[in-house]
Amino acid sequence: MSAEVVFVAGARPNFMKVAPMLRAATALGAPFARRLVHTGQHYDEAMSGVFFEELGIPAPDAHLNVGSGSHGAQTARVLEGFETWLLSRGSAVRGVVVVGDVNSTMACTLAAAKLNIPVAHVEAGLRSFDRGMPEEINRMVTDSIADLLLPSEPAGVENLRREGVDPARVVYVGNTMIDTLAQQLPAARALQVPAAQGLSRGDYVLVTLHRPSNVDDPARLAALVDLLRRVAARIPVVFPAHPRTRARLESSGLLGALRQDGRVKLLEPLAYRQNLGLMADAKLVLTDSGGIQEETTYLGVPCLTLRANTERPITVERGTNTLVGDDLALAERLVNDVLAGRYKAGSSIEGWDGRAAERVMATLVERWG
Ligand code: UD1
């Protein structure tokens, strides 16, 4: 059997990070065969299947079908499923590549590390310094046992240095998610998504919300619904809702309030290009996503992040992002600033250039080839 490198994808934000690496591996004719494992953490067509089609991701070599569950249960199912699969490959696996900070990232790292298989973590070193976030635990565990740490922004390198990590384990590669954005932007623009949604370019606000800290607490969710309604009184608001968010809106009885004036346009989760098409021409984005903070920075679109902290500080320092935390009055003031043309501009960031995946592959060939 020839040596294999295994790429892991589990949840929606993983797919755009993995796609360019799989392409780069093929283009490079790397000295190892590439394998793809989908853990099945996200499984709805709208949360998974459509991304494979649009981003040209090949069918996975294995699907673990873990589905939803509590953090412990979901993590355990990935751990067990991935270990079983790795064992079935015998000595063929030369290394495992994990991306991001979802439960699948941590669980697959743990399974591989226990089998003494080297792991590379793409997007290593990010820290929100908020252990209340499940992703923060995933990042810390993953980075502590992965062999090769490949940060996507300078803060990642700095955090790992501060944690005493051997610099030989760290290689700054830049942002593979931006590779996908740069590649897909022309196709996304060609779809003319704003017009198809009845919106005018540059004259609407795009909203995404799914973090437990925003959507699981009914009082917080009610305050956010109120904010969205007030913003929508000024400018059209479009809100593709994550399944978790829609469920919480329903269970807390807030769906009716959100729809009341008919000004907030609630949509199902969008496919990658649909979302990118809307994001690229938005006047403003309101979000709690990690990746969207980076994507808006690259696109130069103002972004207000409904969180108290970010593991992606470069988007605030150099990009178009502002953290508004719990201060929804501040959010409203900043919305006014954007509408009045008074918001800050961003600048470009090293390694967010569409070629990060090539640097990942070059590093893997050098270390594992
Ligand atoms: C996960 C990641 C988060 C990432 C987000 C992007 C962790 C800890 N969290 O959060 O970092 O930003 O993905 O979406 O890994 N559901 C469906 N269909 C699906 C997937 C989920 O209906 O295909 C529903 C289920 O009710 C599920 C809930 O969404 O219980 C939450 O899914 P889960 O994977 O546990 O976490 P996310 O909130 O999606």
Side-chain angles (χ1 to χ4, degrees), residues 23-365:
R23 251 197 334 278
T26 308
L28 201 70
F32 23 66
R34 57 159 175 70
R35 299 278 176 261
L36 174 64
V37 173
H38 188 335
T39 66
Q41 176 172 344
H42 284 173
Y43 44 85
D44 284 353
E45 173 63 18
M47 298 293 286
S48 173
V50 70
F51 290 83
F52 275 67
E53 284 158 38
E54 283 189 330
L55 305 183
I57 305 174
D61 297 279
H63 201 301
L64 306 180
N65 289 310
V66 300
S68 300
S70 67
H71 285 272
Q74 188 176 61
T75 304
R77 287 201 290 268
V78 177
L79 184 56
E80 188 173 6
F82 192 54
E83 182 187 61
T84 304
W85 185 81
L86 283 175
L87 288 170
S88 76
R89 305 305 300 165
S91 59
V93 178
R94 184 70 193 82
V96 170
V97 181
V98 298
V99 299
D101 56 17
V102 302
N103 288 341
S104 301
T105 311
M106 174 183 70
C108 290
T109 302
L110 194 48
K114 291 265 183 151
L115 293 172
N116 291 318
I117 297 171
V119 177
H121 181 207
V122 171
E123 207 184 271
L126 298 188
R127 299 287 182 268
S128 65
F129 304 101
D130 172 6
R131 291 197 192 187
M133 278 179 87
E135 294 81 2
E136 183 73 352
I137 309 292
N138 294 341
R139 294 180 198 117
M140 292 167 66
V141 173
T142 301
D143 287 342
S144 68
I145 52 177
D147 300 82
L148 197 50
L149 302 173
L150 308 175
S152 53
E153 76 151 82
V157 178
E158 177 54 22
N159 292 331
L160 294 168
R161 190 196 59 75
R162 199 165 347 97
E163 289 173 15
V165 171
D166 177 357
R169 285 170 60 206
V170 182
V171 181
Y172 182 69
V173 292
N175 195 323
T176 60
M177 196 186 58
I178 298 296
D179 293 5
T180 293
L181 194 164
Q183 188 225 10
Q184 294 282 328
L185 190 56
R189 286 199 188 280
L191 292 174
Q192 305 201 4
V193 191
Q197 292 289 351
L199 300 163
S200 306
R201 290 177 59 184
D203 189 28
Y204 59 89
V205 173
L206 173 66
V207 178
T208 86
L209 281 175
H210 74 282
R211 296 246 163 249
S213 56
N214 278 326
V215 306
D216 286 4
D217 170 12
R220 170 75 177 168
L221 191 56
L224 288 168
V225 165
D226 192 47
L227 172 72
L228 298 186
R229 287 179 58 195
R230 276 182 286 134
V231 174
R234 317 257 327 262
I235 179 171
V237 169
V238 58
F239 181 10
H242 186 289
R244 167 189 202 107
T245 308
R246 185 174 286 266
R248 297 296 188 273
L249 284 167
E250 271 165 20
S251 64
S252 54
L254 288 164
L255 206 52
L258 189 61
R259 287 186 165 141
Q260 203 175 14
D261 334 301
R263 291 209 182 101
V264 177
K265 198 174 163 71
L266 202 61
L267 305 177
E268 294 299 314
L270 293 174
Y272 182 80
R273 286 180 192 155
Q274 296 279 328
N275 189 62
L276 178 54
L278 277 186
M279 193 163 45
D281 280 327
K283 182 81 172 173
L284 165 73
V285 174
L286 276 169
T287 192
D288 61 7
S289 155
I292 288 176
Q293 297 171 50
E294 300 180 336
E295 291 170 333
T296 47
T297 277
Y298 182 82
L299 293 165
V301 172
C303 177
L304 305 184
T305 296
L306 297 158
R307 287 173 47 187
N309 51 56
T310 181
E311 60 289 332
R312 294 160 159 94
I314 195 124
T315 62
V316 175
E317 291 154 16
R318 300 253 305 273
T320 55
N321 188 23
T322 305
L323 296 180
V324 298
D326 287 342
D327 191 348
L328 299 189
L330 170 64
E332 215 171 335
R333 280 203 302 281
L334 289 167
V335 170
N336 289 337
D337 284 352
V338 173
L339 296 185
R342 283 196 301 266
Y343 194 74
K344 64 176 175 177
S347 59
S348 65
I349 293 162
E350 184 199 339
W352 295 23
D353 58 355
R355 309 196 64 174
E358 290 170 35
R359 291 187 286 272
V360 172
M361 290 315 299
T363 308
L364 297 185
V365 170

